[in-house]
Amino acid sequence: STDGGRNLSLDSIPMGLPMSDPTAWATAMNNLGMAPMGMTGQPLLPDFDPALGMMTGIPPINPMMPGLGIVPPPIPPDMPAVKEIIHCKSCTLFPPNPHLPPPATRERPPGCKTVFVGGLPENGTEQIIMEVFEQCGEVIAIRKSKKNFCHIRFAEEFMVDKALYLSGYRIRLGSSTDKKDTGRLHVDFAQARDDLYEWECKQRMLAREERHRRRLAEERFRPPSPPPVVHYSDHECSVVAEKLKDDTKFSEAIQTLLTWIERGEVNRRTANNFYSMIQSANSHIRRLVNEKAAHEKEMEEAKEKFKLALSGILVQFEQIVAVYHSASKQKAWDHFTKAQRKNISVWCKQAEEIRNIHNDELMGIRREEEMEMSDEEIEDPSEMKETEESALVSQVEALKEENDSLRWQLDAYRNEVELLKQEQGKASRDEDTTKEQQMKLLQQALQGMQKHLLKVQEEYKKREAELEKVKEDKLKIETLLENLKEQESSTSRVCACSQEKECPVEKTLSNSPVKSEREVLLVGIISTFLHVHPFGASIEYICSYLQRLDSKICTAEVEVLMTRLQNTFRQELSGVGASLEKRWKFCGFDGLKMT
């Protein structure tokens, strides 16, 4: 073993070695990994480190395992390796020429613990080989060949590096000079299946340890599982019922209640308890609705505040743009220098772009508000039409303002073009190219502005057409309301006459599809409602509207009345498949021609 190699007794050292040079003696013993000792047993060198197996002044061999562990760092080529004579019991090792290149070695196999030793003396025995190489570490096995080479397997990988240190040494058995007693050692890495198997086993062990560490790390960072839900009992039921009444513990309690119901804890004995807990859960709906309404109110207030701030910013932008436009007019424009005009035009463009962006944002907010129609607006068609009309009027006014601003911009560009034309005649030929480019840019800008102006004019015409349509629809609704009022007055007269007349008149009334003044009023209201909905409406939608006026109205009564009046109302099917729906439409204008 290594310790045995280090603790060699003094008897194993040949006494014929002269002791006149204690430094050479200490170096030789250090190369073998032994503490340099004198004849009296005292250490020759006080700075020897037995843990490293060498002197402090010489670079230590730090054993490392390849791949897994530690491999010794290579000795720098500029550092001379001092090799001295090594004396053993039966042989002597002489160092190679230090000026020769180091002996070549093959690539180190993974987990190498076996070395090839060539150049052995013909008379060398396993005992001599063991004597030389056991000082490098514990030798497991020696396989010697008849052709002056052998394979030595060590216990650890770092011992191979110590054995490679002896490569190139000349060995001499005893004091003989015979060829059979001499040889030059060549030590190299050897590839052995046992080494590879042990290395692979160690790799697998390390991989298992790494997987185990990774699994522990994943479990440490994994979120904790939710606490288990307690089993149902009368005591736990009372605890959960109290928690359901508390707003702060409601979410925990409702989860427990859900788990109990899914487990099947509800039976005849516990049904009342579960009903009371469900009732407590239902009482929280109003609280949640109120919280949602409060949040919506806050959001609306924030929106309104943002809209007001944005409109104020837009007004200031309009004022700034108006200043630029007034400065661009002929009276003030001629007094500015060329650089000042350029700066003013650039500032004007930037302000207009920012103004347009803010204007689009404000218009988008207004469109969203217009699209969010409430139920009251849907129920009251006249108010809806008025809001649409006011929205269209505001849009038309905005388009007019934009049209005016575009005209002002066109005037400013035309003034710039005229000024550039005047300056172009006065300027030299060197500036012609730059002015042509400016002219082209201005012409392109003019073309773009003209296109934009045309688009704005077309949109303005479309808005005017929509406004006219809205006005026509409003007139139609007013005429329809007047007709309905006349029908109501005529029906009231008929009812008054029917009260004065006798039974024959009642028979005639019984034959007519409308039997009472209430039905006449229903027909008028339904006709007005369906006229506002030209694509028809379901009987449930119509009844929901009528029940707002009179809660006693039932769906069957309305449907029977509308089926009797076939010339006034028509039922149609719309949709396909699962979305098939019956819709009622007003056909009184066509029915009037048929009757």
Side-chain angles (χ1 to χ4, degrees):
S1 67
T2 309
D3 298 335
R6 289 176 181 173
N7 299 326
L8 286 173
S9 62
L10 292 173
D11 299 336
S12 63
I13 303 170
M15 298 301 294
L17 185 67
M19 294 293 293
S20 60
D21 190 1
T23 307
W25 175 258
T27 305
M29 294 186 71
N30 173 67
N31 290 337
L32 291 175
M34 298 183 294
M37 307 290 290
M39 294 299 294
T40 60
Q42 298 295 327
L44 290 175
L45 297 173
D47 58 349
F48 182 86
D49 188 359
L52 299 175
M54 57 182 59
M55 291 182 291
T56 313
I58 301 174
I61 296 175
N62 184 17
M64 301 180 70
M65 294 192 301
L68 302 172
I70 318 186
V71 276
I75 298 173
D78 55 348
M79 180 181 290
V82 179
K83 292 187 177 182
E84 300 291 340
I85 300 172
I86 301 172
H87 295 275
C88 299
K89 187 176 180 180
S90 304
C91 62
T92 307
L93 299 176
F94 297 93
N97 187 356
H99 300 293
L100 293 175
T105 57
R106 61 179 293 177
E107 186 180 356
R108 183 175 189 140
C112 180
K113 296 181 183 178
T114 306
V115 294
F116 165 82
V117 181
L120 294 171
E122 291 184 14
N123 294 334
T125 61
E126 286 190 11
Q127 185 179 359
I128 295 170
I129 296 168
M130 179 68 77
E131 182 183 346
V132 173
F133 285 96
E134 73 177 352
Q135 301 173 31
C136 301
E138 182 183 356
V139 177
I140 301 297
I142 296 176
R143 293 189 296 274
K144 188 175 182 301
S145 175
K146 296 178 181 179
K147 296 184 179 180
N148 304 332
F149 71 88
C150 70
H151 289 85
I152 304 172
R153 189 163 191 263
F154 292 97
E156 299 294 337
E157 290 184 38
F158 69 90
M159 300 173 184
V160 172
D161 302 293
K162 291 185 177 182
L164 287 175
Y165 181 78
L166 301 176
S167 184
Y169 269 81
R170 287 182 293 109
I171 183 171
R172 187 178 70 185
L173 304 180
S175 58
S176 174
T177 57
D178 192 4
K179 264 193 175 182
K180 294 183 178 182
D181 294 335
T182 60
R184 184 180 294 276
L185 297 180
H186 174 69
V187 186
D188 197 357
F189 300 110
Q191 191 167 4
R193 283 176 295 181
D194 295 341
D195 298 344
L196 183 62
Y197 175 73
E198 288 182 5
W199 181 78
E200 288 176 349
C201 290
K202 199 171 289 186
Q203 288 287 90
R204 285 194 289 272
M205 182 185 68
L206 287 174
R208 284 195 299 272
E209 290 178 358
E210 180 63 26
R211 284 198 299 272
H212 180 66
R213 282 195 297 270
R214 195 176 300 159
R215 190 163 53 250
L216 288 177
E218 288 176 358
E219 289 176 358
R220 188 164 59 252
F221 290 111
R222 187 178 300 157
S225 57
V229 179
V230 295
H231 291 282
Y232 177 81
S233 64
D234 293 337
H235 172 69
E236 294 294 338
C237 178
S238 61
V239 171
V240 171
E242 291 296 327
K243 286 183 179 179
L244 283 171
K245 296 174 183 177
D246 191 357
D247 295 346
T248 58
K249 300 178 181 178
F250 174 73
S251 59
E252 178 187 353
I254 198 72
Q255 186 64 35
T256 306
L257 177 61
L258 176 63
T259 307
W260 284 349
I261 293 172
E262 289 178 349
R263 283 180 184 172
E265 301 286 350
V266 183
N267 51 38
R268 287 186 178 180
R269 187 177 65 83
T270 61
N272 291 330
N273 294 333
F274 274 98
Y275 179 77
S276 63
M277 287 190 287
I278 293 168
Q279 192 173 10
S280 299
N282 184 56
S283 64
H284 285 270
I285 292 175
R286 184 176 295 175
R287 173 181 66 83
L288 296 174
V289 170
N290 292 334
E291 287 181 2
K292 183 189 173 187
H295 289 304
E296 286 178 350
K297 186 178 179 182
E298 290 177 1
M299 187 176 69
E300 291 296 331
E301 289 176 356
K303 279 185 179 178
E304 190 66 27
K305 191 174 180 182
F306 173 71
K307 190 172 73 173
L308 290 172
L310 195 62
S311 60
I313 292 168
L314 192 60
V315 168
Q316 295 179 13
F317 269 116
E318 291 288 349
Q319 293 172 352
I320 294 169
V321 171
V323 169
Y324 288 140
H325 289 161
S326 61
S328 300
K329 290 182 179 179
Q330 191 74 27
K331 293 179 181 179
W333 190 254
D334 295 338
H335 299 287
F336 293 117
T337 62
K338 190 174 180 181
Q340 289 172 347
R341 291 175 187 171
K342 187 176 180 182
N343 290 335
I344 291 170
S345 60
V346 170
W347 295 339
C348 184
K349 288 178 184 177
Q350 292 176 353
E352 285 174 352
E353 289 175 0
I354 298 169
R355 189 269 313 272
N356 292 334
I357 291 168
H358 282 73
N359 195 8
D360 293 340
E361 190 173 356
L362 187 61
M363 292 296 289
I365 293 169
R366 287 175 180 171
R367 286 194 206 100
E368 288 177 1
E369 289 178 352
E370 290 168 5
M371 288 173 67
E372 293 173 356
M373 298 174 65
S374 61
D375 294 337
E376 295 177 359
E377 290 174 347
I378 293 170
E379 290 169 5
D380 196 350
S382 61
E383 290 182 4
M384 180 181 68
K385 294 293 181 181
E386 288 176 1
T387 54
E388 288 181 358
E389 186 177 356
S390 62
L392 287 170
V393 168
S394 63
Q395 289 180 3
V396 167
E397 289 177 355
L399 288 170
K400 282 181 180 178
E401 291 177 0
E402 191 173 358
N403 193 5
D404 295 336
S405 66
L406 290 171
R407 284 176 182 169
W408 293 338
Q409 290 178 17
L410 277 174
D411 293 336
Y413 281 125
R414 282 171 185 165
N415 293 331
E416 286 186 8
V417 170
E418 290 175 359
L419 288 171
L420 285 171
K421 284 180 180 179
Q422 292 174 4
E423 290 176 3
Q424 188 177 8
K426 299 175 183 178
S428 61
R429 294 177 181 177
D430 298 336
E431 297 179 355
D432 288 345
T433 55
T434 57
K435 295 217 174 152
E436 285 178 2
Q437 292 176 358
Q438 289 178 358
M439 286 289 293
K440 287 179 181 178
L441 290 173
L442 287 169
Q443 286 175 359
Q444 290 175 1
L446 277 170
Q447 290 175 0
M449 296 298 292
Q450 286 174 353
K451 289 179 182 178
H452 187 57
L453 183 61
L454 290 173
K455 288 180 182 178
V456 170
Q457 288 176 351
E458 289 176 0
E459 191 173 355
Y460 176 67
K461 290 177 182 178
K462 288 179 182 178
R463 296 294 182 185
E464 284 185 342
E466 290 178 1
L467 189 60
E468 289 177 359
K469 287 181 181 178
V470 169
K471 288 179 179 178
E472 290 176 1
D473 293 339
K474 189 177 179 182
L475 290 172
K476 286 181 181 179
I477 290 168
E478 288 175 354
T479 53
L480 184 61
L481 288 172
E482 290 175 359
N483 293 332
L484 287 172
K485 287 178 182 177
E486 291 176 0
Q487 287 179 6
E488 287 176 4
S489 62
S490 62
T491 51
S492 62
R493 290 171 188 168
V494 170
C495 291
C497 294
S498 63
Q499 290 176 0
E500 294 173 358
K501 290 182 181 179
E502 295 178 354
C503 297
V505 180
E506 292 178 359
K507 289 180 182 179
T508 56
L509 281 171
S510 63
N511 294 329
S512 66
V514 181
K515 295 180 180 180
S516 64
E517 184 181 359
R518 185 169 183 272
E519 289 184 353
V520 171
L521 291 171
L522 285 175
V523 169
I525 294 168
I526 293 167
S527 302
T528 307
F529 180 83
L530 290 178
H531 184 71
V532 176
H533 296 80
F535 296 102
S538 62
I539 189 69
E540 291 82 10
Y541 189 21
I542 297 168
C543 290
S544 67
Y545 176 74
L546 293 173
Q547 283 171 358
R548 290 176 181 269
L549 305 174
D550 186 5
S551 59
K552 296 178 182 179
I553 295 171
C554 61
T555 308
E557 179 187 358
V558 176
E559 192 170 6
V560 169
L561 177 62
M562 293 175 74
T563 50
R564 288 206 304 263
L565 300 170
Q566 295 180 358
N567 293 327
T568 309
F569 306 104
R570 182 174 68 250
Q571 189 178 23
E572 292 182 355
L573 294 174
S574 63
V576 178
S579 62
L580 195 65
E581 185 182 7
K582 292 181 179 180
R583 290 177 175 266
W584 287 91
K585 292 186 177 181
F586 178 77
C587 60
F589 297 114
D590 298 330
L592 185 63
K593 296 176 183 177
M594 293 171 64
T595 54

